[in-house]
Amino acid sequence: MNELSEFRGLRADAPLPDADRLAAPRARLTAAFRQETRPARAALPRRRMILVGAATAGALAVTAGILTTLPEDGTGAPAGTGPQMLSAGASADALELAAATVEKHGATEPGPKQWVYEKSTVFGQGKPRTSEEWTRWDGTGHANLPGIAPPGDISDFDPDKLQVWYGPNQEEKWKKEGYDDRSQRQFYRFLATLPSDPDRMMKRIREEHAIGDIKGETRAQRDWREINVLYRSVLIPPKVQAGLFRALAKIPGARVTTGVKDPLGRAAISVSVNYAEKIPSGWQGKQEIFFDPESYAYLGENKSDGQIVNARDAWGVVDKPGARP
């Protein structure tokens, strides 16, 4: 899936989210918005009908969408109110609505010779840096644009030329020798084995020690760090996406803010925690993850009030390096 505004490749036969499953959190969320955002006796915001596309960073085949009513700005908050941080209860309802939506998405694993494409932008000192990356599903190929300069003489190096690497299949070697490295395919298949229950899912993830332990870190801090890293994977099975939203709802202090902009200026909602003091991982301040307000696709992150800002511009699955969705 490339641009969020283009829902190409929608599957007409994919199951729609169950109306009863979505109705309860949507009703609670609507009531919460009215209580938290409107002044006394204020008129209800003008509403419109929106076809909510089911494109997500982790779904390759997606549902045909669900018809729902949202406030005029499409972010879940009354039109014109700007960013609105929800209460703990309303945040939990918003995350449950996200989970109930994404878990109904269909997904098809890519073929071994297909490539996962990701375009991303990193905001740091100086100008933002945008790059494109292609990774072959079986781990035997990788491509970059702009290319990375090799060691030694670079007089004839052209950064604007697609740089492609091919190598042997490393999956069995990594597994046999106990390396943490995984191909895109291996990681996706590991995620597919996770239980959908958020508590059991996070327990299994912690047991894998994928990101390592940090002495003194609380379970909530560790879970936030794990989830933050997991969302960097371009493809995540729908049931795991749903579990991650429900796991976020269980983290003390995690709050949803509607009506925000992501690092690229796109309409978004965010889920954030705020560390008043430096925690064992070294982070302090606001840690924020951005999602599309309609599809709940991952859009990027903002760590420690701007110290690290990343955005996912586009993504998808293609048949060769250099191709774009």
Side-chain angles (χ1 to χ4, degrees):
M1 192 65 59
N2 187 1
E3 301 299 334
L4 289 173
S5 59
E6 298 178 4
F7 299 111
R8 293 177 295 178
L10 295 182
R11 259 182 31 188
D13 62 337
L16 294 177
D18 181 76
D20 292 337
R21 182 68 180 276
L22 296 177
R26 183 182 295 124
R28 292 196 300 269
L29 194 55
T30 301
F33 282 136
R34 291 175 178 174
Q35 288 295 322
E36 295 181 18
T37 62
R38 70 174 183 176
R41 297 183 178 275
L44 290 178
R46 184 163 57 93
R47 308 179 76 81
R48 62 190 172 110
M49 299 298 290
I50 296 178
L51 183 63
V52 180
T56 73
L60 306 181
V62 293
T63 69
I66 57 172
L67 191 64
T68 184
T69 57
L70 292 176
E72 180 62 26
D73 67 357
T75 64
T81 59
Q84 297 287 330
M85 178 175 283
L86 305 184
S87 67
S91 293
D93 286 338
L95 291 168
E96 175 56 32
L97 179 58
T101 301
V102 302
E103 70 183 348
K104 296 297 184 180
H105 295 171
T108 301
E109 182 181 320
K113 296 182 180 181
Q114 289 189 295
W115 298 68
V116 177
Y117 168 78
E118 181 181 23
K119 181 179 180 181
S120 58
T121 299
V122 177
F123 296 81
Q125 296 181 347
K127 294 178 60 177
R129 291 179 289 114
T130 298
S131 61
E132 296 174 281
E133 185 175 18
W134 291 260
T135 305
R136 195 162 126 152
W137 190 244
D138 63 4
T140 64
H142 192 267
N144 292 89
L145 192 66
I148 301 173
D153 182 18
I154 60 171
S155 57
D156 60 349
F157 172 69
D158 181 1
D160 295 325
K161 182 179 179 181
L162 182 68
Q163 188 177 72
V164 184
W165 169 92
Y166 288 97
N169 191 316
Q170 299 291 299
E171 291 180 337
E172 288 303 316
K173 178 181 177 181
W174 290 334
K175 182 178 180 181
K176 182 178 180 180
E177 297 182 8
Y179 291 126
D180 290 334
D181 302 70
R182 289 187 176 99
S183 68
Q184 293 261 5
R185 177 168 64 182
Q186 284 176 310
F187 191 65
Y188 184 89
R189 289 178 178 177
F190 160 70
L191 293 178
T193 69
L194 295 177
S196 56
D197 175 78
D199 292 324
R200 292 170 55 214
M201 184 183 75
M202 295 309 301
K203 181 176 184 293
R204 176 86 182 282
I205 290 172
R206 288 192 296 270
E207 290 172 351
E208 286 291 310
H209 298 288
I211 60 174
D213 296 317
I214 295 179
K215 185 178 180 180
E217 192 175 40
T218 68
R219 177 168 293 186
Q221 291 165 355
R222 170 67 181 266
D223 283 354
W224 176 269
R225 193 162 57 94
E226 292 273 14
I227 292 170
N228 190 281
V229 170
L230 281 171
Y231 269 121
R232 297 176 194 171
S233 301
V234 178
L235 305 182
I236 303 176
K239 72 168 187 176
V240 178
Q241 294 182 59
L244 292 177
F245 280 121
R246 293 186 174 113
L248 283 170
K250 290 175 172 286
I251 295 178
R255 300 285 288 273
V256 171
T257 301
T258 64
V260 300
K261 300 290 185 181
D262 82 339
L264 294 177
R266 298 171 293 192
I269 63 172
S270 73
V271 184
S272 64
V273 293
N274 202 321
Y275 301 129
E277 299 178 355
K278 185 176 290 187
I279 61 174
S281 64
W283 296 114
Q284 184 175 2
K286 190 175 186 180
Q287 320 293 308
E288 194 167 24
I289 305 174
F290 298 96
F291 300 95
D292 181 82
E294 297 179 0
S295 69
Y296 303 108
Y298 171 82
L299 298 179
E301 64 173 333
N302 179 2
K303 283 187 176 179
S304 296
D305 295 322
Q307 290 185 32
I308 295 181
V309 182
N310 299 309
R312 178 174 289 161
D313 303 50
W315 63 90
V317 175
V318 296
D319 292 328
K320 61 181 181 180
R324 297 176 177 86

